[in-house]
Amino acid sequence: MQPASSDVELSVVVPVFNEEAVLPLMIDRLRPVLDGLESTYEVLAVDDGSTDASPVILQRLRRQWPALRVLRLRANSGHQAAISAGLARARGDYVVTIDADLQDPPETIAQMLQVARDEKVDVVYGVRSDRRTDTVFKRGTAGAYYRLMRALAGKKVVDQAGDFRMMSRATVEAVNALPEQHRVLRLVVPTLGFPSARVEYERAVRAAGDSKYPLRKMIALSVDSLTGHSMAPLRLATWCGLCGGLAALGVLCYALIARALGHVIAGWTSTVVVVAAVGAVQLLCLGVLGEYVGRMYTMMQGRPTYYVAYDSLESHEQVNS
């Protein structure tokens, strides 16, 4: 982990995974913004095990832009792990996390920094005020996700705020100190309760390339969000078991009364339905419990979520030493 440096006021962490088509466009828009801030800065591009030409492009861009720092992970570890790796190595007094696809405008960084200074807050969230460029399915699922998270994890969760945010050094150190391995930063940062503000922006279309967040990863993120930040699924399993027990008791009472009155129920359909319903509830409860047990097992193992293979800053320091 790199210590904070007073020589770097702003760090920009950019997770990269197979973004060869968009990287030059990203740098062309990001560099003028940072040069106009009149602040010392570094751009920390975290290569999350890319298999395309992204590593080569990053090295070429680094020769053209000394402030660009390349951090390469040994294997693809996931979007949240890549951001966490960047936060652990960032040196700035303020740290911005932004994706490379240009759906979040780099120009907003200047406004974020101004808000952080003027209002003296630790976190500035980038909030998507307009998502018309997303598909109807994407807008619907994203809206449902944020409503669910706010209902289960608390009102501190910022609606329509993804991973585009600015954090103070104190916030970054607090996040780095957390023992969670499968952290979902869009939920972790708000739950810290540090003073915060919001900056709204319009979400743009992806500048180039394909989305790196397919439905499978969106579902995995939702599961991590639920099991990592709320006890509601466990309580749901408890209530399902209680309701199932009450329903079984009701069926038993009905059967005893029917037998006493001489009304024998013919057929087996009702029995099959009851058994299938109880079995489904039991499997659901076991699945929920398994998710929580799995998270505890992973934490007990203590395995890192990522491994750093290369840091251009360390290589540069070794050459100059």
Side-chain angles (χ1 to χ4, degrees), residues 6-317:
S6 58
D7 295 335
V8 179
E9 184 176 4
L10 176 65
S11 294
V12 180
V13 175
V14 185
V16 176
F17 178 64
N18 291 346
E19 297 286 9
E20 60 180 3
V22 78
L23 276 174
L25 302 176
M26 171 66 175
I27 298 304
D28 286 344
R29 285 184 57 182
L30 180 61
R31 185 171 184 176
V33 172
L34 299 181
D35 287 341
L37 294 178
E38 298 182 354
S39 301
T40 55
Y41 66 85
E42 66 172 357
V43 177
L44 183 53
V46 183
D47 180 14
D48 188 21
S50 297
T51 55
D52 63 357
S54 294
V56 177
I57 293 174
L58 285 174
Q59 292 298 338
R60 185 181 73 240
L61 293 172
R62 189 173 72 86
R63 289 193 293 269
Q64 300 170 359
W65 191 13
L68 179 61
R69 176 181 167 194
V70 179
L71 182 70
R72 182 169 175 80
L73 305 186
R74 292 192 177 276
N76 178 248
S77 303
H79 183 253
Q80 299 298 301
I83 295 178
S84 296
L87 294 180
R89 298 259 175 160
R91 301 176 297 160
D93 298 327
Y94 291 98
V95 180
V96 174
T97 57
I98 182 172
D99 291 341
D101 55 16
L102 291 177
Q103 288 191 282
D104 303 327
E107 293 78 11
T108 309
I109 294 176
Q111 185 180 357
M112 286 180 163
L113 184 59
Q114 190 64 41
V115 170
R117 289 169 172 170
D118 293 345
E119 301 187 17
K120 294 181 171 45
V121 294
D122 288 296
V123 185
V124 180
Y125 298 103
V127 177
R128 302 154 181 168
S129 60
D130 189 342
R131 302 190 65 151
R132 286 178 295 179
T133 56
D134 290 337
T135 63
V136 175
F137 177 77
K138 178 69 174 180
R139 293 198 301 268
T141 54
Y145 170 82
Y146 286 108
R147 287 192 296 271
L148 181 62
M149 290 300 103
R150 285 174 64 83
L152 299 182
K155 298 300 182 182
K156 289 183 178 180
V157 177
V158 182
D159 189 25
Q160 299 299 328
D163 289 310
F164 183 29
R165 71 181 70 85
M166 175 176 287
M167 294 176 284
S168 67
R169 170 51 48 183
T171 307
V172 173
E173 291 179 353
V175 171
N176 291 337
L178 294 174
E180 295 180 62
Q181 295 180 338
H182 296 283
R183 61 182 65 163
V184 180
L185 292 168
R186 66 186 64 186
L187 301 181
V188 168
V189 176
T191 55
L192 294 175
F194 287 14
S196 64
R198 307 182 186 188
V199 171
E200 295 187 351
Y201 66 94
E202 294 184 6
R203 186 167 172 83
V205 297
R206 168 178 267 273
D210 299 322
S211 173
K212 303 307 182 294
Y213 246 97
L215 181 61
R216 174 179 56 84
K217 290 188 177 181
M218 291 171 59
I219 294 175
L221 178 69
S222 300
V223 172
D224 284 340
S225 300
L226 281 172
T227 56
H229 296 273
S230 176
M231 295 292 290
L234 284 176
R235 296 192 180 99
L236 176 63
T238 301
W239 280 106
C240 285
L242 178 60
C243 293
L246 293 175
L249 180 61
V251 172
L252 175 62
C253 293
Y254 174 77
L256 292 176
I257 294 174
R259 183 178 181 84
L261 296 176
H263 301 296
V264 180
I265 302 175
W268 50 268
T269 304
S270 59
T271 302
V272 172
V273 171
V274 171
V275 171
V278 172
V281 171
Q282 289 176 334
L283 289 175
L284 173 64
C285 296
L286 286 175
V288 171
L289 291 173
E291 288 291 335
Y292 281 91
V293 172
R295 291 183 69 88
M296 290 189 294
Y297 177 67
T298 302
M299 290 187 64
M300 289 176 61
Q301 289 178 315
R303 296 175 182 174
T305 55
Y306 61 86
Y307 292 92
V308 176
Y310 168 81
D311 187 340
S312 62
L313 177 65
E314 294 177 353
S315 300
H316 179 73
E317 290 176 347

